[in-house]
Amino acid sequence: QVQLMESGGGSVQSGGSLTLSCTASGIAYSNYCMAWFRQAPGKGREGVAVIDSDGTIIYADSVKGRFTISQDNATSTLYLQMNSLKPEDSAMYYCATDYLTRLRGKFTSPPSAEWFVYWGQGTQVTVSL
């Protein structure tokens, strides 16, 4: 049974930082493509950052230079370091994974949600002025 558990969300002021974590179980973690998505009220689910099993990384233009995705294969944990947070970054953040999705040579922006089969429950990030 695949499980993804996010943590690290919270409330911060504009310009602040947060680090999200996602711990995976039930998968051969190092073989999977891992991603962070977010969804604000009334909006669709947006890909924020994604990292593939070969180390390929893609960021959404809206977070480039501010967010960093990384992972620890030894602990099956995915991270999202978020700096210089803005109110428009406020959303529920989800971790997602898929075995078949591969980034290199196919995507120049994060794949849409349909490319990922397994999802976590989400962690809320709220950025105030």
Side-chain angles (χ1 to χ4, degrees):
Q1 180 181 0
V2 179
Q3 287 190 322
L4 301 175
M5 184 169 295
E6 304 96 335
S7 62
S11 297
V12 296
Q13 289 189 323
S14 183
S17 298
L18 282 173
T19 300
L20 306 183
S21 300
C22 170
T23 302
S25 60
I27 60 173
Y29 182 90
S30 61
N31 295 332
Y32 278 65
C33 183
M34 302 295 300
W36 287 102
F37 283 78
R38 66 186 180 187
Q39 187 167 19
K43 296 189 177 181
R45 198 162 289 194
E46 172 193 21
V48 174
V50 56
I51 182 167
D52 204 349
S53 57
D54 66 355
T56 300
I57 291 174
I58 299 176
Y59 294 100
D61 288 342
S62 58
V63 306
K64 281 180 182 176
R66 299 188 299 122
F67 290 11
T68 302
I69 190 171
S70 63
Q71 61 186 357
D72 183 343
N73 287 344
T75 60
S76 300
T77 304
L78 179 72
Y79 300 99
L80 185 68
Q81 173 68 43
M82 305 185 295
N83 298 326
S84 303
L85 283 162
K86 306 174 181 180
E88 51 263 45
D89 294 318
S90 296
M92 185 72 77
Y93 282 71
Y94 298 91
C95 173
T97 188
D98 193 85
Y99 177 73
L100 296 178
T101 296
R102 291 293 175 262
L103 303 178
R104 189 179 296 275
K106 190 167 186 176
F107 294 98
T108 57
S109 60
S112 61
E114 291 73 22
W115 287 91
F116 294 87
V117 172
Y118 302 108
W119 292 82
Q121 294 299 307
T123 186
Q124 179 67 40
V125 172
T126 303
V127 185
S128 59
L129 287 169

